[in-house]
Amino acid sequence: MIKRYRIKKVISFKKIVSYILSNNSRIYSARTIHKNIKAQCEDISLNTVIKYIEYLKEAYIIDEIPQYSLKAKKELAYYGKIYNSDVCFNSLHINNNRFDIDHNLENIIYNELLYMGYNVKVYDNNGKEIDFIAQKNNKTYLIQVAYSVVDEKAYQREFDAFSNLDNSNQKIIITADDIDFSTSTIKHIKLSNFLTLDELD
């Protein structure tokens, strides 16, 4: 990529790549990345950071999805989420040999939803983030992803994300738990089962 795009600020580019790939599945803005790199005493403009992000998208290293705001009923222009095309990119850039299981699991779910043919965005439920709003064939699904909701705090956090939403769209939570945590309004799909699906129905 450095040769193809004739990148001159090689050190800055490598730092940006490392930062992005190790922070997958998180809400971000180009300004956030620019601020982080500038803090490392790198002389680089915001426009250059945006340009480097676009290079990574063109090369299919990362994918970016917008955040949809329920309150504003529109896509938020400056905030979205970045996902790695392969979660191994995250593992290659983590510190202290610590595998980021929660964010990588979300990244895997995202990649699988794309493979199934869903149009995917992040969903802002009045300040409570729902990982995905997935749409296909005039059907809409609201999806939360967590490694486990066995812990009471985790259960409360993940299920509360759906609060104040009606039942016009299917609400789904995907975890690696073997216990079925489905409720009368929220469908729990075990990760092992999800990975064999062709459709969410």
Side-chain angles (χ1 to χ4, degrees), residues 27 63-70 73-76 79-83 106 109-111 113-114 117-125 128-136 139-145 200:
I27 295 291
D63 196 14
E64 179 184 3
I65 63 175
Q67 184 180 24
Y68 181 86
S69 171
L70 176 64
K73 295 185 178 179
K74 65 179 181 180
E75 292 180 6
L76 302 179
Y79 294 92
K81 269 191 175 182
I82 285 180
Y83 293 94
E106 183 181 328
I109 300 301
Y110 170 75
N111 290 348
L113 288 171
L114 287 189
Y118 287 93
N119 179 40
V120 182
K121 299 176 184 176
V122 185
Y123 193 77
D124 177 27
N125 179 20
K128 294 181 178 180
E129 179 191 320
I130 295 177
D131 293 323
F132 304 117
I133 175 170
Q135 298 172 313
K136 178 181 174 183
K139 293 183 179 181
T140 300
Y141 306 85
L142 299 171
I143 304 169
Q144 274 290 85
V145 179
L200 289 172

Side-chain angles (χ1 to χ4, degrees), residues 41-170:
C41 301
E42 292 294 327
D43 182 20
I44 189 168
S45 70
L46 176 60
N47 286 337
T48 299
V49 171
I50 293 172
K51 183 169 61 177
Y52 289 169
I53 293 172
E54 290 302 313
Y55 290 164
L56 291 171
K57 289 159 65 176
E58 288 176 12
Y60 299 102
I61 301 297
I62 60 171
D63 196 14
E64 179 184 3
I65 63 175
Q67 184 180 24
Y68 181 86
S69 171
L70 176 64
K71 187 175 182 179
K73 295 185 178 179
K74 65 179 181 180
E75 292 180 6
L76 302 179
Y78 302 106
Y79 294 92
K81 269 191 175 182
I82 285 180
Y83 293 94
N84 298 338
S85 60
D86 191 318
V87 294
C88 77
F89 294 148
N90 173 274
S91 302
L92 291 170
H93 288 83
I94 57 173
N95 295 319
N96 303 320
N97 295 317
R98 183 178 180 276
F99 185 71
D100 191 354
I101 193 165
D102 290 315
H103 290 101
N104 282 341
L105 177 58
E106 183 181 328
N107 203 140
I108 290 168
I109 300 301
Y110 170 75
N111 290 348
E112 287 295 315
L113 288 171
L114 287 189
Y115 180 76
M116 294 180 192
Y118 287 93
N119 179 40
V120 182
K121 299 176 184 176
V122 185
Y123 193 77
D124 177 27
N125 179 20
N126 292 321
K128 294 181 178 180
E129 179 191 320
I130 295 177
D131 293 323
F132 304 117
I133 175 170
Q135 298 172 313
K136 178 181 174 183
N137 298 330
N138 297 317
K139 293 183 179 181
T140 300
Y141 306 85
L142 299 171
I143 304 169
Q144 274 290 85
V145 179
Y147 182 72
S148 175
V149 290
V150 170
D151 179 78
E152 184 177 349
K153 289 184 179 179
Y155 180 95
Q156 201 71 35
R157 180 183 65 248
E158 301 300 334
F159 279 79
D160 277 357
F162 296 114
S163 62
N164 302 320
L165 293 176
D166 59 34
N167 296 318
S168 57
N169 300 316
Q170 174 70 68

